[in-house]
Amino acid sequence: MSSVIGITFGNTSSSIAVATQDGKVDVIANPDGDRAIPSVLSYIGIDEYHGAQAVAQLVRNASNTIINFRDFIGKQYDDVDVSVAARGAAPVKTEDGGIGYNITREDDRVELVTVNEAATRHFKQLKSAAEDYLGQKVESAVLTVPTNFNEHQREVLVQIASAAGFQVLQLINEPSAALLAHLTAASTALGEDELLKDLIYVVADFGGIRSDAAVIAVRGGILTILATAHEFNLGGDDLDDAISEHFAKEFEKKYQANPRKNARSLAKLKAESIVAKKTLSNVQSSSFSIESLAEGFDFLSNINRLRFELAARKPLSDMTAFVEKVLTKAGLDALDIDGVLLAGGCANVVKLAQNVQYLFPESTKIIAPSFDAKASNPEELSTRGAALQAALIESFDEAEVKESLQPIVVNTQHLQAPIGIKDAEGNFQALLVAETAYPIKRSIEVTNGDSSDVVVELYEGKRTIKETVIEPEARNPEDSDYDSDDSDEEPEIKKEVVYVAGDLLAKTVLSDLKPNSKLEVIVNITQNGVLHLTSRELKQGAIAVKGEVQGH
Amino acid sequence: MSIVLPALQGPKTPAFESYKPYSAPVRRPIEPVGRYFLAHATRTLRGHTWSEFEKLEAEKNVQVVEEDEDADLGDEEQSAELLATSPREWKEADLYAVLGLSHLRWKATEDQIRRAHRKQVLKHHPDKKSASGGLDQDDFFKVIQKAFEVMTDSNKRAQFDSVDELATVAPPSAKSEYDFFEAWGPVFETNAHFSKKQPVPLLGDKDSTKEEVDAFYKFWGKFDSWKSFEFKDEDVPDDSANRDHKRYIERKNISNRKKLKQEDNKILNEMVGRAQKEDPRIKAWKEAIKKEKEQAKWEKGAGSRAAAEAAAKKKAEEEAAKKKADEEAVLAKADAKKAKEAAKSAKKKNKRAVRGAPKAANYFGDEAKAEIIDGDVDLLLEKLDDLQLVSLAAKSEGDADAVKAAFVEMVSELTTSGTLKASYVKYFV
């Protein structure tokens, strides 16, 4: 088993994973048995609580419980919105303008825990959980970060990791890690390499307090982020709040007592709402019970999925809108997207996945647990990706990895329009698709049919949208028990993106061929952007026709 | 179905023509994740073109394929005796040889076993045999199937390996002459894989350190082997006709296994004990230790030995001194005796001289008073001490008057000192 682990450090929860020999990934549970380990630290006297145990402290000991601190890393107090930590210990400004927490420890001594210190302690806990599982020292790890983490934040994170006792081999973007994990798992399940299929994905990660989305083009196994979007006040917490509010109203009506006035009541509501939300992702209804919610009244009720979806309509539609936003940013249409990968805890919410599905055409695959029971746990996706990457780069030495991350390697030209050839019917057949990173080489096997001389015409593709009108099925006249005024049913229009041949770039001629010979067309773009077209007959001694397409 | 290219309309030349550049690309960062990115990075950093990269990858693949192939697996010659093994006595046969793996034995991997088995099946399949004329020729094939059954079941294979005598090298015969390391090395090497604990320390060579050798014997002294002896079991009758008998056989098997295991452990212990006894390194070290001890003892005794020597010397000296002293004493005694005798004779002589003096001086003219004079002289001689005697003797020769004066003087000297009463002297007054 590899000793390099993958770590995802989230605002709400973190997870750790390790790749096994057979290419599978084990997500490691902490001593409490949680795989999604809450990124929460709580202090009572000399004791430190971490994970779910610390979350439990939010009800009684909120002022000594540090929550939602990931985004504070490497930031100044004045630059951040501290309201995300409203339920826990209040962030304070440290002497150097950074962020810290005043934590009351034993004998009423007040300890200033900076964000970096909190993160270090959190990492130490994660590391020790991983070591317990692996039975060996963890010396290095691959960490995921949100795409909007800046250079400084990344550096600080690396320092925090080294303070916690391990080395960061590589920082990778959360959406890329999630997609890598999904594609690797799908490849194993389907037995073909999903990474090599040229598809465009939207990775939408709905976390606890923030949402991130990225449009990623997968081209020949290379991932390129086309656009990202972030929403800092949208996430699972909003869904929890919707449930809390729903029950707060119900409680108020029943007992004439307001549970929102009291921080402890609110914390109790919140904790139970989270449980209810998770239950509703799996079953149709959930019970909801809190002892002594407010003014000594016990509260017992239940909620079904429909009511939850109604109550949380606002955040759910915000989330859908958020996905649309990232599409707009990428300059793409829903039709261009081949798959949507939902990540983060909210991806379990059935309604969210359904809403997202309505956004895209049927051809787009939505990857969420409610559609595919075999899908990986969306909360673990990026950790799994990190673990896979860890296993990949483990065998390389540090210098090699560093070298591979140089801008000269990473910043690459990407093709902007598809390039392909025209077949006998005049249809455009793409060889290279847009957003493929240089260098590229693709070959395709073709035939000449009956003609002895053929031409290979290299075109740039032009995107068009083909609309097919699907007439509603004609009703069987015998079924006329129904009202016959169904003429208001509109014909359904099915849209799809079709590329047609645009500008002719080059052509080659292959002559004097026997009928149905096997031919090969190779298109090749070098690192410097020089496009070569080669075509030849697939037989011994055949001479290839080669040419360089003129440059820009 | 492959794409059909459009037919050429127009001239055949030129064969290639370029019309228009393609749309300008956009520079974007690619995500540094996944193995295709690593391949991309390698290509970019090493500056490989596609064809070079493909070539390198292809070379890698070829090597992998070649490594996989050990073509002559299972091609070993099988002796006529082995081929004649009856399927009833399959346990007697060397199952590795049956599969043609006798050179690999317990080291054969599962994959190798599978491939070797396939080869044996191709060679010995009854259909093949009957095609080539033989009739009832499936005996050896049955043995092959049995062997394959044992070899593919890790449990059964371990049981067979436990009793596979050909896999281990026997210790050298005690009577023969042999080089310790050459003879014992393979013995331990071939027994090492029976250990539950791996890795197993090996014998090493004459240059091994003491720690290594100690660790080696310590390990082998407590060798925990996974050997089990089910393979030697007597077949348990599988009919339910006689349950008691069946149980009896089972019990017998269990106790037999136990016995064999004990024996095996004993043999191993004896073997290790013998090796330890014969080990030239240990002997050399023991010798060295012995020498060292003696040396140490020798050095430790140096002080007392010097003291003893000094004492002996002193004693000898003392003895010598004493002896000398004794001799001297004897001599001195003799001398003293002589002197005494000399003195005595001198005294006698002197007395004689003194006594003879008056006569020689003719009694000073008073010959008549000769008797009185002699009486006085005797009295005088009685009272005289040695010194007075000598001085008187010296004076008692010569002139008669001087002799008479000397006698008178002597008498007066004696009377004044009180030793002689004047009244007793009659002549020398």
Side-chain angles (χ1 to χ4, degrees):
Chain A
M1 197 173 280
S2 159
S3 63
V4 183
I5 56 169
I7 301 181
T8 290
F9 172 25
N11 274 311
T12 311
S13 65
S14 302
S15 44
I16 39 182
V18 65
T20 56
Q21 225 97 52
D22 52 352
K24 294 226 167 59
V25 177
D26 281 350
V27 179
I28 300 169
N30 74 350
D32 294 339
D34 293 323
R35 290 192 165 74
I37 303 159
S39 308
V40 181
L41 289 163
S42 183
Y43 295 91
I44 299 178
I46 54 165
D47 295 328
E48 179 184 77
Y49 295 89
H50 176 251
Q53 296 184 15
V55 171
Q57 301 291 336
L58 274 172
V59 176
R60 293 178 166 277
N61 185 26
S63 63
N64 288 326
T65 304
I66 305 174
I67 59 165
N68 293 340
F69 58 96
R70 199 270 317 262
D71 280 351
F72 293 164
I73 285 171
K75 288 275 176 95
Q76 295 292 301
Y77 183 83
D78 296 330
D79 301 338
V80 297
D81 170 19
V82 295
S83 69
V84 293
R87 290 191 298 124
V92 293
K93 193 170 176 175
T94 57
E95 277 173 20
D96 55 355
I99 305 159
Y101 299 89
N102 281 326
I103 300 297
T104 311
R105 299 298 295 264
E106 68 273 21
D107 309 328
D108 291 331
R109 187 170 58 79
V110 174
E111 183 191 7
L112 177 71
V113 179
T114 62
V115 164
N116 289 0
E117 176 58 27
T120 308
R121 292 177 189 179
H122 177 55
F123 275 166
K124 275 185 187 156
Q125 295 275 6
L126 294 182
K127 181 174 177 255
S128 85
E131 281 171 355
D132 287 349
Y133 177 85
L134 292 171
Q136 58 185 15
K137 280 253 165 244
V138 168
E139 274 157 10
S140 43
V142 169
L143 251 67
T144 64
V145 287
T147 50
N148 70 330
F149 249 45
N150 59 32
E151 274 308 310
H152 174 63
Q153 283 181 294
R154 284 166 197 251
E155 275 166 28
V156 173
L157 198 59
V158 171
Q159 285 162 16
I160 290 170
S162 67
F166 61 91
Q167 185 204 2
V168 175
L169 288 186
Q170 194 186 352
L171 289 172
I172 60 176
N173 286 326
E174 279 169 8
S176 315
L179 191 57
L180 178 71
H182 165 67
L183 293 176
T184 310
S187 303
T188 342
L190 297 175
E192 48 189 303
D193 203 335
E194 285 284 304
L195 271 161
L196 286 179
K197 293 181 180 168
D198 293 336
L199 300 174
I200 293 184
Y201 286 89
V202 171
V203 180
D205 182 346
F206 299 103
I209 57 163
R210 62 178 273 184
S211 301
D212 303 277
V215 181
I216 301 180
V218 183
R219 300 292 187 233
I222 307 265
L223 276 59
T224 306
I225 296 187
L226 302 179
T228 58
H230 309 283
E231 186 65 59
F232 297 101
N233 284 309
L234 179 66
D237 270 21
D238 297 306
L239 303 178
D240 306 332
D241 289 344
I243 299 176
S244 298
E245 182 55 28
H246 167 81
F247 283 115
K249 270 187 201 152
E250 192 179 319
F251 182 81
E252 213 175 355
K253 207 163 160 192
K254 210 165 172 183
Y255 298 105
Q256 277 77 44
N258 186 358
R260 303 183 198 85
K261 277 187 189 159
N262 178 331
R264 190 171 287 183
S265 305
L266 273 176
K268 282 182 183 173
L269 263 178
K270 177 87 179 176
E272 187 66 12
S273 298
I274 292 172
V275 175
K277 178 184 72 176
K278 286 185 178 163
T279 314
L280 286 173
S281 295
N282 296 318
V283 291
Q284 287 290 338
S285 74
S286 165
S287 68
F288 189 93
S289 84
I290 300 172
E291 275 185 26
S292 181
L293 174 54
E295 294 177 23
F297 293 114
D298 292 352
F299 183 58
L300 178 65
S301 180
N302 65 53
I303 184 167
N304 63 19
R305 201 180 269 176
L306 189 65
R307 191 160 292 281
F308 160 63
E309 285 160 6
L310 281 172
R313 202 176 56 219
K314 169 86 177 38
L316 284 173
S317 62
D318 285 350
M319 287 174 183
T320 324
F322 175 65
V323 175
E324 275 184 304
K325 184 174 137 194
V326 74
L327 282 185
T328 329
K329 265 186 140 176
L332 292 175
D333 192 87
L335 295 173
D336 296 312
I337 305 299
D338 301 292
V340 180
L341 178 64
L342 293 180
C346 295
N348 288 310
V349 175
V350 180
K351 185 69 179 172
L352 176 64
Q354 282 171 354
N355 284 350
V356 171
Q357 194 178 36
Y358 293 140
L359 210 60
F360 291 93
E362 268 173 45
S363 59
T364 306
K365 198 170 177 247
I366 312 292
I367 303 128
S370 52
F371 292 125
D372 180 7
K374 277 186 228 136
S376 313
N377 185 342
E379 281 184 272
E380 295 166 358
L381 275 170
S382 55
T383 323
R384 285 173 179 274
L388 287 169
Q389 180 69 10
L392 271 179
I393 61 172
E394 188 187 16
S395 54
F396 292 82
D397 61 36
E398 216 184 315
E400 274 179 300
V401 175
K402 280 241 168 69
E403 206 178 18
S404 302
L405 300 178
Q406 286 169 359
I408 189 170
V409 179
V410 172
N411 290 338
T412 315
Q413 302 279 25
H414 284 70
L415 191 66
Q416 283 308 292
I419 290 174
I421 54 170
K422 215 184 223 181
D423 66 10
E425 281 97 48
N427 294 328
F428 176 77
Q429 301 285 352
L431 280 175
L432 311 178
V433 290
E435 300 300 350
T436 308
Y438 292 2
I440 319 170
K441 186 188 181 187
R442 290 289 154 88
S443 66
I444 185 171
E445 202 175 290
V446 293
T447 176
N448 57 333
D450 301 330
S451 31
S452 68
D453 305 321
V454 289
V455 59
V456 180
E457 290 170 314
L458 195 68
Y459 285 97
E460 198 159 71
K462 225 165 54 182
R463 180 176 177 276
T464 55
I465 291 176
K466 188 171 120 192
E467 294 188 356
T468 326
V469 180
I470 303 169
E471 292 293 338
E473 272 179 55
R475 272 194 193 284
N476 198 330
E478 285 160 34
D479 277 351
S480 48
D481 295 348
Y482 288 100
D483 292 334
S484 54
D485 55 351
D486 50 6
S487 54
D488 57 342
E489 249 184 60
E490 280 180 34
E492 202 184 334
I493 297 171
K494 195 185 164 208
K495 288 183 180 178
E496 55 185 322
V497 175
V498 173
Y499 284 92
V500 296
D503 296 329
L504 179 64
L505 300 176
K507 71 170 184 185
T508 60
V509 174
L510 290 170
S511 49
D512 306 325
L513 303 165
K514 285 184 190 148
N516 292 320
S517 320
K518 283 184 175 173
L519 310 173
E520 189 184 31
V521 177
I522 303 164
V523 186
N524 177 5
I525 300 181
T526 65
Q527 187 80 41
N528 311 326
V530 185
L531 173 63
H532 290 278
L533 172 65
T534 312
S535 45
R536 63 185 180 112
E537 196 179 347
L538 279 175
K539 73 172 187 195
Q540 283 288 316
I543 296 160
V545 187
K546 270 190 212 169
E548 184 183 317
V549 179
Q550 44 180 274
H552 312 297
Chain B
M1 205 204 97
S2 55
I3 297 159
V4 182
L5 287 175
L8 175 69
Q9 266 116 30
K12 284 188 186 176
T13 51
F16 177 84
E17 217 172 334
S18 165
Y19 296 97
K20 210 174 170 285
Y22 64 99
S23 311
V26 169
R27 199 171 267 278
R28 293 184 200 275
I30 56 174
E31 286 298 288
V33 295
R35 60 196 170 93
Y36 295 101
F37 167 76
L38 290 175
H40 167 85
T42 321
R43 272 199 303 273
T44 316
L45 290 170
R46 309 267 183 283
H48 292 149
T49 64
W50 279 97
S51 44
E52 275 169 349
F53 185 72
E54 274 164 17
K55 231 188 265 170
L56 288 173
E57 289 290 300
E59 268 170 25
K60 259 190 228 163
N61 289 340
V62 167
Q63 276 163 2
V64 170
V65 170
E66 275 171 358
E67 275 164 6
D68 274 359
E69 207 83 55
D70 34 348
D72 55 346
L73 208 63
D75 274 351
E76 286 172 1
E77 270 308 302
Q78 284 153 325
S79 67
E81 198 186 333
L82 183 69
L83 292 174
T85 312
S86 146
R88 278 170 194 282
E89 285 147 11
W90 67 275
K91 276 193 173 184
E92 313 297 316
D94 174 2
L95 300 187
Y96 283 113
V98 166
L99 292 175
L101 289 169
S102 54
H103 64 297
L104 287 169
R105 307 211 80 87
W106 62 273
K107 285 176 191 142
T109 64
E110 210 175 308
D111 183 49
Q112 284 169 326
I113 289 170
R114 246 168 241 291
R115 276 186 287 147
H117 170 247
R118 202 167 301 139
K119 224 165 226 180
Q120 297 304 328
V121 168
L122 285 177
K123 232 193 283 181
H124 297 286
H125 197 278
D127 289 357
K128 204 160 191 178
K129 294 271 164 162
S130 63
S132 62
L135 261 178
D136 193 15
Q137 286 289 330
D138 63 345
D139 279 7
F140 191 63
F141 183 72
K142 282 181 183 160
V143 179
I144 291 172
Q145 295 302 79
K146 271 287 182 198
F148 184 62
E149 192 185 301
V150 169
M151 290 305 155
T152 44
D153 182 327
S154 60
N155 211 4
K156 283 189 187 164
R157 191 176 170 196
Q159 289 167 7
F160 176 73
D161 284 339
S162 302
V163 298
D164 184 6
E165 280 158 11
L166 294 167
T168 52
V169 174
S173 152
K175 284 169 198 157
S176 61
E177 289 247 329
Y178 52 83
D179 175 80
F180 179 80
F181 298 104
E182 237 167 63
W184 281 101
V187 176
F188 287 105
E189 256 167 57
T190 50
N191 273 301
H193 76 281
F194 290 119
S195 174
K196 280 184 191 166
K197 252 197 269 169
Q198 295 285 355
V200 178
L202 292 177
L203 186 60
D205 52 28
K206 62 180 176 7
D207 298 325
S208 304
T209 64
K210 190 156 183 346
E211 287 79 46
E212 279 167 358
V213 175
D214 284 348
F216 170 80
Y217 284 112
K218 198 178 162 204
F219 183 95
W220 282 87
K222 292 194 285 189
F223 193 86
D224 189 6
S225 104
W226 49 256
K227 277 190 188 183
S228 67
F229 293 89
E230 280 87 347
F231 202 80
K232 298 260 188 196
D233 280 0
E234 192 179 326
D235 282 339
V236 178
D238 52 359
D239 58 340
S240 50
N242 193 340
R243 248 192 312 177
D244 287 340
H245 178 63
K246 193 173 154 187
R247 285 183 185 160
Y248 166 70
I249 299 274
E250 274 170 1
R251 270 203 306 277
K252 214 167 93 177
N253 278 337
I254 289 169
S255 68
N256 194 38
R257 273 178 231 160
K258 225 180 193 169
K259 205 178 97 198
L260 285 169
K261 176 93 183 163
Q262 275 168 352
E263 272 171 20
D264 182 68
N265 285 342
K266 204 177 137 201
I267 289 171
L268 186 91
N269 278 338
E270 279 169 2
M271 189 181 92
V272 175
R274 214 189 110 195
Q276 195 166 9
K277 231 185 328 182
E278 289 176 13
D279 197 325
R281 294 167 298 190
I282 294 183
K283 276 187 197 162
W285 286 321
K286 271 193 181 158
E287 198 90 328
I289 289 171
K290 210 171 151 192
K291 260 192 186 161
E292 214 169 87
K293 256 189 189 163
E294 277 172 7
Q295 182 69 28
K297 210 172 159 189
W298 172 258
E299 275 162 17
K300 209 174 151 194
S304 61
R305 208 167 43 250
E309 252 173 32
K313 203 174 160 191
K314 203 174 156 196
K315 203 175 161 192
E317 274 170 6
E318 273 171 5
E319 270 171 10
K322 198 180 165 198
K323 204 174 165 189
K324 205 173 157 193
D326 285 354
E327 277 169 7
E328 273 169 7
V330 169
L331 274 177
K333 223 175 167 181
D335 278 353
K337 209 175 168 182
K338 263 186 192 167
K340 227 178 168 178
E341 272 168 13
K344 230 175 172 178
S345 65
K347 203 176 171 181
K348 263 183 186 163
K349 201 179 157 192
N350 284 340
K351 272 185 178 172
R352 224 175 17 244
V354 171
R355 201 173 276 136
K359 203 181 173 181
N362 297 322
Y363 299 107
F364 321 114
D366 295 326
E367 280 171 14
K369 290 179 182 172
E371 271 186 42
I372 301 162
I373 290 168
D374 283 341
D376 274 1
V377 170
D378 285 339
L379 185 71
L380 205 61
L381 282 174
E382 249 168 60
K383 301 286 175 188
L384 274 178
D385 63 16
D386 289 353
L387 273 174
Q388 287 163 334
L389 181 67
V390 172
S391 69
L392 189 61
K395 291 173 185 165
S396 44
E397 270 176 54
D399 191 12
D401 290 335
V403 173
K404 195 183 172 183
F407 273 90
V408 172
E409 192 187 335
M410 192 56 68
V411 167
S412 64
E413 198 178 301
L414 289 173
T415 41
T416 44
S417 66
T419 45
L420 182 73
K421 278 186 178 160
S423 53
Y424 294 159
V425 183
K426 286 164 183 155
Y427 182 75
F428 297 108
V429 190

